[in-house]
Amino acid sequence: MDWKTQYKDKLMTAGEAVKRIKSGDRVVVSHAVGEPRTLISAMVENADQYKGVEIVHMVAMGNSPYCRPEMEKHFRHNSLFVGASTRQAVADGRADVTPVFFSEVPELFRTTLPVDVALVNLSLPDEHGYCSFGVSVDYSKPAAEAAKLVIAQVNANMPRTFGDSFIHISELDCIVEADDPIIELPQGKIGDVQRAIGKNCASLINDGDTLQLGIGAIPDAVMLFLKDKKDLGIHSEMFSDGTVELMEAGVITNKRKNFHPGKSVVTFLMGTKRLYDYVNNNPSVEMYPVDFVNNPYIIAENDNLVAINSCIEVDLTGQVVSTNIGLTQFSGVGGQVDFVRGAQMSRGGRSIMAMPSTTKTKRGTISKIVPLITEGAAVTTSRDEVDYVITEYGIAKLKGKTLRDRARALIEIAHPDFRPDLIEEYEKRFHSKFQDAPHKAYA
Ligand code: COA
């Protein structure tokens, strides 16, 4: 049967499609801004028909209506990365967290967490009947491949991206036409602190390097200071609008990449319509599933890979906490450790943890460089694999340093208001005066 006939046979309303979900099913929802909002709304409207449907999702950028308290009997959310719309449900015990490296999510769906239903959001089919996973290839494509039932929202607003990002109409079970706008995320606000951090990070980036950058004010600030660099490349979990600016300005050319030269390689995208228009039908951007892009051995195929990530707190030995504020699950590991490891194995690679030296909390302003990690928190990047830590006050190179020397390096980039307390801790722990130690260049 030709694909157009198959398409017509599988076409139905969202209400009809979600009736195929059964109580007790495990439903995987496309990641981040790729989520199929019409399908999620229809599923939640149909909640009375379900008991104990497990919703597995990573970064949920929509409003996650299945996490509302009144949905508790019908849905249980299993979060692979907690976000704004799911955090309260996790804190209240109405949702669960599964810790997992982003690179390993597809394998979970093929083994330990078998998928009953995949809810995906796809581009319109091309003339051969292939739809693109658009902004979210990551685990969305592997989940669809592993699922017993694939319900697809076919969406004229989903960009058609290249790489290993396509699925044929014949692989879908239910097709729902709905042109929701792709969720947009405005660029982060860059203040003086982020600007100083960006400048420090950019000082470690050389012409021809390949970059992994996330989203938010810090990556955007880094990019402000890359405008004079030449022939940068991208091999990243994701990229955002700031990266597009550097592509259009001819700073990111991917020309000197030794792995997929000429191509920006990513697994998902998140930004504004400008980004989504840029990647649509653009062969310079290639998207692959996350078990390829974030596989540390694949990352390491890129020489001079610079990974820049952020964190909640760093202790004086270099233990990095990125997912928890004490016992509170704030986010998830995502691709942080995948890229820390990949960058470390890359010839000429570097990995950077970039963060402001302090943060404002209900208790007042606190230091993010701490003597001990907060009780209940989990170490994300271990002190054995951390490399550079950067704040607005400078650069601490930790790899290869003794515990004593890395504590000194971290104190030197802590906020001056908190240095006396950290020095006191240093002197207790290392049985020596801070000022007595021989001077060393730490950067
Ligand atoms: N103690 C208490 N609260 C802290 C804190 C600390 N040490 N550090 C940060 N916070 C609070 C902030 O006050 C802020 O609170 P608010 O939302 O009430 O304002 C909140 O945590 C977020 O802090 P912010 O500095 O705005 O974080 P961010 O948006 O830059 O994100 C991470 C930082 C660590 C949460 C984020 O980078 C992350 O989730 N990393 C792990 C995943 C990852 O690295 N993926 C890699 C590739 S995408």
Side-chain angles (χ1 to χ4, degrees):
M1 203 192 299
D2 73 290
W3 73 262
K4 286 183 184 163
T5 312
Q6 292 182 50
Y7 187 99
K8 276 191 206 131
D9 285 353
K10 294 174 182 183
L11 192 60
M12 58 188 82
T13 65
E16 287 165 343
V18 298
K19 287 203 175 94
R20 307 272 298 267
I21 300 170
K22 298 188 298 299
S23 289
D25 274 353
R26 174 174 294 122
V27 177
V28 175
V29 180
S30 270
H31 182 224
V33 296
E35 69 176 53
R37 284 194 283 171
T38 294
L39 298 183
I40 293 173
S41 301
M43 179 179 70
V44 172
E45 274 163 31
N46 202 40
D48 285 343
Q49 293 199 7
Y50 317 123
K51 250 198 210 141
V53 168
E54 180 186 341
I55 308 290
V56 182
H57 202 168
M58 204 157 156
V59 181
M61 295 306 299
N63 52 13
S64 308
Y66 45 81
C67 280
R68 293 202 298 254
E70 67 273 22
M71 290 292 149
E72 201 175 352
K73 272 199 311 230
H74 309 295
F75 301 110
R76 184 138 186 112
H77 175 44
N78 180 356
S79 173
L80 309 182
F81 190 115
V82 174
S85 60
T86 57
R87 202 168 289 133
Q88 193 59 48
V90 170
D92 292 349
R94 293 181 285 104
D96 295 303
V97 171
T98 299
V100 58
F101 297 129
F102 199 1
S103 60
E104 293 182 348
V105 174
E107 188 59 10
L108 274 194
F109 291 155
R110 292 189 282 262
T111 56
T112 323
L113 292 182
V115 184
D116 295 303
V117 183
L119 298 184
V120 296
N121 196 6
L122 304 176
S123 76
L124 300 184
D126 63 15
E127 67 267 38
H128 305 291
Y130 286 93
C131 299
S132 166
F133 280 86
V135 294
S136 166
V137 175
D138 44 58
Y139 68 71
S140 304
K141 181 172 152 75
E145 286 165 352
K148 293 187 195 123
L149 181 79
V150 182
I151 303 179
Q153 179 171 332
V154 170
N155 186 338
N157 288 313
M158 181 60 85
R160 183 167 174 269
T161 57
F162 292 108
D164 180 11
S165 61
F166 294 99
I167 187 164
H168 195 258
I169 291 297
S170 57
E171 306 295 322
L172 310 177
D173 297 294
C174 307
I175 296 174
V176 174
E177 291 177 343
D179 299 337
D180 303 331
I182 304 303
I183 297 170
E184 293 186 62
L185 218 77
Q187 279 184 276
K189 236 176 152 187
I190 302 173
D192 290 345
V193 168
Q194 288 78 16
R195 194 172 270 275
I197 295 168
K199 195 171 177 191
N200 286 335
C201 291
S203 72
L204 294 180
I205 297 171
N206 305 317
D207 292 346
D209 282 350
T210 292
L211 308 181
Q212 175 250 328
L213 288 162
I215 192 164
I218 291 178
D220 287 345
V222 175
M223 285 186 271
L224 285 182
F225 294 93
L226 297 180
K227 291 182 176 155
D228 295 328
K229 305 280 180 194
K230 291 192 179 54
D231 292 327
L232 298 177
I234 295 289
H235 182 109
S236 187
E237 179 169 302
M238 52 94 58
F239 69 78
S240 192
D241 291 50
T243 312
V244 174
E245 271 170 44
L246 292 183
M247 288 167 171
E248 288 179 339
V251 175
I252 294 174
T253 62
N254 293 304
K255 268 190 195 155
R256 283 162 68 176
K257 275 175 89 177
N258 58 317
F259 185 69
H260 292 238
K263 307 286 182 186
S264 293
V265 173
V266 281
T267 196
F268 76 102
L269 297 158
M270 203 149 64
T272 69
K273 187 160 184 308
R274 180 180 177 211
L275 167 71
Y276 308 147
D277 289 343
Y278 180 82
V279 298
N280 185 39
N281 276 322
N282 186 339
S284 74
V285 177
E286 287 191 344
M287 306 205 36
Y288 295 91
V290 69
D291 46 352
F292 177 80
V293 175
N294 280 34
N295 176 334
Y297 291 104
I298 294 293
I299 296 167
E301 292 284 323
N302 295 278
D303 290 350
N304 303 311
L305 190 292
V306 183
I308 304 180
N309 289 291
S310 195
C311 57
I312 299 281
E313 64 187 10
V314 180
D315 80 0
L316 281 181
T317 71
Q319 299 194 89
V320 177
V321 172
S322 307
T323 64
N324 284 66
I325 300 174
L327 268 176
T328 303
Q329 184 76 34
F330 188 80
S331 62
V333 58
Q336 180 171 118
V337 174
D338 296 333
F339 274 91
V340 166
R341 291 181 178 161
Q344 216 47 61
M345 291 189 289
S346 148
R347 199 170 2 186
R350 281 139 277 160
S351 97
I352 297 170
M353 287 297 152
M355 61 171 191
S357 64
T358 60
T359 191
K360 286 193 178 61
T361 68
K362 285 185 196 133
R363 290 183 285 135
T365 299
I366 62 166
S367 176
K368 284 164 76 81
I369 295 179
V370 287
L372 299 170
I373 63 173
T374 307
E375 190 178 352
V379 172
T380 310
T381 293
S382 82
R383 64 190 190 183
D384 309 289
E385 47 197 359
V386 69
D387 190 2
Y388 291 93
V389 177
I390 287 182
T391 70
E392 68 274 29
Y393 291 101
I395 301 172
K397 164 84 174 157
L398 302 187
K399 194 153 267 283
K401 292 232 153 68
T402 63
L403 291 177
R404 182 190 302 264
D405 283 349
R406 53 178 65 200
R408 292 180 65 80
L410 286 165
I411 291 168
E412 285 174 5
I413 63 161
H415 191 288
D417 290 354
F418 293 95
R419 286 182 204 164
D421 285 351
L422 293 168
I423 287 173
E424 200 181 315
E425 176 65 25
Y426 169 94
E427 294 184 343
K428 257 198 288 173
R429 200 181 293 187
F430 297 108
H431 310 288
S432 59
K433 286 277 175 212
F434 189 73
Q435 69 268 27
D436 287 348
H439 173 78
K440 287 189 180 159
Y442 290 103

